[in-house]
Amino acid sequence: MLSMLHIENIAVIASADIVFEEGLNLLTGETGAGKSIILDALGAVIGRRASKDLVRTGAHCARVSAVFDKLPALVYDFLEENRFAGPEGDGGLFLSREVSADGRNICRINNRPATVALLRQLGALLLHIHGQHDSQALLDASTHLSALDRFAGTAARLSAYRQAYEKLKSCDRRRLALRMDEEEKARRILHLQYAADDIGAACLLPGEDQELLSRRRLLQNAERLTEALGEACACLAGDEQAEGARSLLSQAARAMADAAALHGDLTELHRRLCDLSFATEDVSASLEQLLDEFDASPGALDEVEERLDVIYRLKRKYGATIDEILRHREACQGELEALQQSERTLAALEAEYAQACEEATALAGELHGERAKAAATMAERVCGELRDLEMKQVRFEVEVNSRDGEGALRKDGSDDVRFLLAANAGEEPKPLSRIASGGELSRVMLALCNVLLDNNEAGAMVFDEIDAGVSGRAAGRVAEKLGRLSRGRQVLCVTHLPQIAAMADTHIRVEKGSAHGRTVTNVQTLDPPGRIEEISRLLGGLNVTDTVRRSASEQIKAADSYKKGLEIS
């Protein structure tokens, strides 16, 4: 349940704190006073679209926050699944959203940052908002199927069907891919064969390009490298003019052997000279081997460059690395094999497709059965609700037609669903888009909300002018229906009708005024005398007399009596 809403710098509302209670909360006020802005703010804090145009002129940002308590069980599951802190102390859940003038959003769930998407998911569990556009959406037959599924509780069956349908579509895509004409298939085979042969002819080795780059660097500095190695070898091995370090160290070691024999303290020095002599021999041998093996022939660098050119050409065509090029060749070979064996593969896919089609068709048939059975019950209950709303001769039907032939199966099954209505006796039911008036649509919307209530997990329901196009006795029946609906849950409603306003458990007036040369909206929860004045205004407009006030008082008493009757029953 929504217990508090704070609004700051949204449109004409500079600042407002609104406390909501259990039961029926009604918002009234003159047209343009800001009632719908409150619902826009409420929509924003549960993740609905919030444009930067909401930000009050001159303000840097708009803020809206809400506190919810008596939370549905699904809310606790959501918080745990998404690792948000659960409600503390009094069990309140805090949501907030800030929209800056440049369009940026900052959202929080229990003071922890969250995305708009997460806020929207959580908001769907807390509130279900029915705006004026929802009534118009009833004219779109594409929305009727989902409403029937909600009533029928087909979620599990529909999920199983959709899995089978996706399997069917996947199989169909693979089947159609193999059904290419022979000319196209021949072109594809030629292309794949060329790519596989082109890569295969290069005989690439993983990491080869890095080794070639390293060798190219050596060859590009071959002269300097050879000179350095030769000089080092000469220093160690010596030449015709002078002995090298290797020979001199060997002589020194032999001399120290004689000295150590005469003086025991020189033994360690002799050992160290021997180690140096052996190490120098080893280094000298390694340098000579490197010098002998190093190929710095004039053509060596050209061979490396040519090989790198081959690799770069393949990289431009088939992948950024040698590994990617080799994987591309494997993919080409795999597709080649599949195409060359396509007849056998196609036969297997046709059999798989037929089985998948049979499974999906069977599940679609089960869905149709559930929908057809639920359609009659749903129509009967909606008719009952509409009769309560002063549509005594109404006939409401839920038409479920199963498609046949190719293309019959779609993501929601094989059914087309339409709501049909005959508002008066002697008329044949017709689609809502052809016959329903604004007042009839509003009542159909309210009737459907009542019928679908058991399957709606939202903790509270919000109606934006559900009374559009309704007056007289019908308005009174809508008020009673809202009163009955609010006995089991919290309901928020914007209204212009005194009959509905009289049914309020909490009556909130939204009033436009001015301060410091600017338009402002004030929000006030009315006490009993204030309620009488507000309902009198709705009844009498500019001409509010004592008689009108007595009439308003009588309407409130009648509504209170009706609500007490609901509590007793």
Side-chain angles (χ1 to χ4, degrees):
M1 163 179 120
L2 174 65
S3 59
M4 190 278 290
L5 182 69
H6 172 76
I7 302 171
E8 186 177 336
N9 291 328
I10 292 185
V12 294
I13 302 179
S15 180
D17 289 297
I18 311 172
V19 176
F20 297 95
E21 304 290 350
E22 294 183 356
L24 182 58
N25 295 258
L26 285 171
L27 283 77
T28 61
E30 294 286 356
T31 300
K35 301 183 297 298
S36 292
I37 294 172
I38 293 174
L39 297 193
D40 289 342
L42 188 54
V45 85
I46 61 167
R48 289 196 168 192
R49 183 179 178 276
S51 167
K52 62 182 181 181
D53 295 335
L54 278 177
V55 181
R56 182 173 168 82
T57 302
H60 296 297
C61 64
R63 296 184 181 89
V64 57
S65 55
V67 177
F68 294 84
D69 55 23
K70 300 180 181 178
L71 305 173
L74 286 177
V75 171
Y76 291 96
D77 295 339
F78 175 90
L79 295 174
E80 182 177 356
E81 180 181 344
N82 291 279
R83 298 180 180 179
F84 284 102
E88 299 179 358
D90 58 359
L93 174 67
F94 179 78
L95 307 183
S96 68
R97 184 172 181 184
E98 180 179 302
V99 181
S100 64
D102 60 7
R104 290 178 298 172
N105 285 262
I106 299 175
C107 305
R108 288 185 173 85
I109 298 174
N110 271 351
N111 290 316
R112 188 187 127 187
T115 64
V116 174
L118 280 173
L119 200 63
R120 182 163 52 249
Q121 293 174 35
L122 178 57
L125 304 176
L126 295 165
L127 291 175
H128 197 64
I129 300 178
H130 296 279
Q132 297 178 55
H133 67 278
D134 293 310
S135 294
Q136 293 300 315
L138 284 175
L139 302 179
D140 182 1
S142 65
T143 65
H144 299 173
L145 176 60
S146 60
L148 175 60
D149 279 342
R150 285 175 58 197
F151 179 81
T154 61
R157 183 86 66 186
L158 184 58
S159 177
Y161 167 78
R162 283 177 173 164
Q163 291 180 17
Y165 178 73
E166 284 304 315
K167 178 181 176 182
L168 174 65
K169 296 301 291 183
S170 173
C171 182
D172 190 37
R173 285 191 293 270
R174 288 181 283 134
R175 182 177 65 122
L176 292 176
L178 281 179
R179 277 183 168 181
M180 62 178 69
D181 59 52
E182 291 305 313
E183 184 178 346
E184 183 182 352
K185 185 188 296 184
R187 284 197 303 270
R188 183 62 178 162
I189 288 175
L190 187 63
H191 171 76
L192 293 169
Q193 191 66 64
Y194 172 81
D197 291 346
D198 192 24
I199 297 170
C203 299
L204 297 175
L205 297 173
E208 180 183 1
D209 52 346
Q210 298 304 314
E211 292 180 7
L212 286 168
L213 288 171
S214 178
R215 179 161 176 74
R216 183 174 68 176
R217 284 192 296 272
L218 290 176
L219 290 171
Q220 287 172 337
N221 295 282
E223 185 176 348
R224 291 174 57 193
L225 180 63
T226 303
E227 289 177 358
L229 287 174
E231 184 180 350
C233 285
C235 289
L236 293 175
D239 54 25
E240 294 178 355
Q241 282 82 30
E243 291 185 280
R246 187 173 62 186
S247 176
L248 293 172
L249 280 170
S250 178
Q251 292 177 25
R254 287 195 298 271
M256 282 301 297
D258 293 340
L262 300 172
H263 193 310
D265 292 342
L266 299 177
T267 302
E268 175 60 21
L269 289 175
H270 173 250
R271 185 190 64 76
R272 289 165 63 185
L273 269 175
C274 288
D275 289 344
L276 283 172
S277 179
F278 295 147
T280 302
E281 290 279 353
D282 185 53
V283 170
S284 179
S286 297
L287 288 175
E288 289 172 355
Q289 183 179 356
L290 279 173
L291 194 58
D292 290 341
E293 292 177 353
F294 183 61
D295 180 10
S297 61
L301 180 58
D302 291 339
E303 290 177 5
V304 171
E305 294 287 7
E306 288 174 6
R307 183 61 175 169
L308 284 171
D309 285 343
V310 169
I311 294 173
Y312 290 153
R313 179 181 63 81
L314 295 175
K315 284 183 176 182
R316 286 195 301 269
K317 295 170 68 174
Y318 305 117
T321 65
I322 288 180
D323 287 342
E324 288 184 17
I325 295 170
L326 294 175
R327 284 197 296 270
H328 184 77
R329 182 171 186 258
E330 290 177 5
C332 288
Q333 290 173 326
E335 189 177 345
L336 266 173
E337 184 179 349
L339 284 172
Q340 291 163 348
Q341 298 179 358
S342 61
E343 292 304 319
R344 186 171 59 190
T345 306
L346 183 58
L349 273 176
E350 291 289 359
E352 184 182 346
Y353 177 80
Q355 182 180 356
C357 188
E358 183 178 345
E359 291 175 1
T361 300
L363 287 169
E366 293 174 7
L367 260 179
H368 174 77
E370 287 190 19
R371 287 165 174 165
K373 181 179 179 181
T377 305
M378 181 179 180
E380 183 180 349
R381 289 185 57 183
V382 172
C383 279
E385 296 286 338
L386 291 173
R387 292 188 185 104
D388 290 344
L389 294 170
E390 289 299 305
M391 296 178 71
K392 300 296 185 184
Q393 305 297 324
V394 72
R395 286 176 60 194
F396 181 86
E397 296 181 3
V398 181
E399 181 182 76
V400 183
N401 292 319
S402 185
R403 295 182 294 271
D404 295 319
E406 187 175 355
L409 298 180
R410 296 175 191 168
K411 68 174 183 177
D412 292 319
S414 61
D415 296 322
D416 290 318
V417 175
R418 293 193 305 171
F419 294 160
L420 307 178
L421 183 74
N424 302 304
E427 297 178 355
E428 285 298 314
K430 296 178 182 178
L432 293 179
S433 59
R434 293 175 53 188
I435 53 93
S437 67
E440 288 166 344
L441 275 179
S442 296
R443 282 179 279 178
V444 171
M445 184 74 236
L446 184 55
L448 283 170
C449 286
N450 273 285
V451 168
L452 299 176
L453 181 61
D454 291 342
N455 293 331
N456 177 21
E457 297 295 337
M461 301 188 75
V462 182
F463 294 99
D464 184 8
E465 299 191 20
I466 193 68
D467 54 19
V470 178
S471 61
R473 288 172 56 87
R477 295 305 184 191
V478 169
E480 291 176 355
K481 191 64 66 178
L482 288 171
R484 182 177 294 275
L485 182 64
S486 65
R487 294 310 93 184
R489 64 177 55 210
Q490 185 186 47
V491 176
L492 281 62
C493 183
V494 172
T495 186
H496 291 286
L497 296 180
Q499 298 96 319
I500 295 177
M503 193 65 67
D505 297 306
T506 301
H507 190 159
I508 299 165
R509 180 172 63 198
V510 183
E511 188 175 22
K512 184 184 292 186
S514 62
H516 307 294
R518 295 198 62 181
T519 299
V520 295
T521 291
N522 298 311
V523 182
Q524 178 185 7
T525 300
L526 299 177
D527 58 12
R531 289 193 65 204
I532 292 174
E533 288 301 317
E534 178 65 4
I535 294 173
S536 298
R537 182 190 64 78
L538 295 174
L539 283 167
L542 295 175
N543 187 28
V544 176
T545 65
D546 289 340
T547 300
V548 173
R549 290 187 178 91
R550 283 195 296 272
S551 179
S553 180
E554 289 172 3
Q555 286 208 10
I556 293 172
K557 289 178 182 178
D560 289 343
S561 177
Y562 177 79
K563 288 185 287 186
K564 286 180 181 178
L566 292 177
E567 294 170 1
I568 294 172
S569 62

